[in-house]
Amino acid sequence: MKLVDMAKDIANKNTCCGYSSFTVGAALLSKSGEVYTGFNVENHGIQSICAERTAFVKALSSGETKGNFVSITVVGKKLGQEKFIKTVPCGYCRQFMSEYAGPDFEINLIDEELGKTFSYKLKELLPESFEL
C-alpha cells in the first residue's frame, strides 16, 4: 500500500496536466528499495511525458541501472474526481519499460470505483516488444 499511497500523493500534486485534465502518478520500486515517483507532464505538442517514464528517468538519472527495477504502481483520475480509476500504461511506456526492466517486471494498478487492484507482468502487457 505504500507504493499506492506514494503514487496517489504525486498524482494529487500534479500541476502539469492542464490539457487532458487527467492526472497520473507512478511509484517505481528499485531492487535497492528506493522508490522514484513521477506524474504526467503535458505541453502544447505531442512531446508530453507520462508518469511512468518520468519515474524511470528520475531513477536512471539518480544512478539506477538497467535491470534494477522490481515494480511500478500506476494510478490515474480526472482532475476534480475523488477516486482513482484503472489506468494502464500506454504502449510507448510499455516499450520504454521493456528497455530497462525485465519481462517479469510487475505493473500494479488500482480502481477505487470498482474496489479492485490489478497486477500484470510486463510480458503480459507487451507480449512482443521491439528488441534489437
Side-chain angles (χ1 to χ4, degrees):
M1 286 309 280
K2 176 184 173 193
L3 294 176
V4 169
D5 290 341
M6 292 176 79
K8 287 168 66 174
D9 183 57
I10 195 75
N12 284 326
K13 292 178 180 174
N14 190 347
T15 59
C16 299
C17 61
Y19 297 98
S20 70
S21 296
F22 194 84
T23 182
V24 180
L28 174 64
L29 176 63
S30 72
K31 288 181 180 177
S32 69
E34 290 293 320
V35 178
Y36 301 89
T37 60
F39 59 62
N40 55 315
V41 178
E42 299 176 350
N43 62 18
H44 286 77
I46 60 170
Q47 301 85 14
S48 298
I49 185 167
C50 300
E52 299 92 316
R53 285 182 282 134
T54 300
F56 265 93
V57 169
K58 283 172 69 175
L60 293 165
S61 63
S62 294
E64 296 288 352
T65 57
K66 185 175 183 170
N68 282 344
F69 301 104
V70 176
S71 68
I72 193 166
T73 299
V74 182
V75 302
K77 69 176 181 174
K78 203 72 164 146
L79 289 178
Q81 298 295 311
E82 193 173 313
K83 295 183 178 182
F84 288 88
I85 60 172
K86 184 178 181 183
T87 305
V88 182
C90 71
Y92 189 85
C93 284
R94 295 176 200 190
Q95 184 63 47
F96 186 93
M97 287 187 275
S98 76
E99 179 73 21
Y100 298 101
D104 289 323
F105 177 74
E106 197 170 288
I107 300 167
N108 299 301
L109 315 171
I110 64 164
D111 191 316
E112 293 177 325
E113 288 183 352
L114 298 176
K116 291 185 175 183
T117 59
F118 303 87
S119 184
Y120 301 95
K121 300 289 185 186
L122 181 56
K123 64 186 173 190
E124 293 176 276
L125 296 181
L126 188 66
E128 296 192 35
S129 65
F130 175 78
E131 295 179 34
L132 291 177

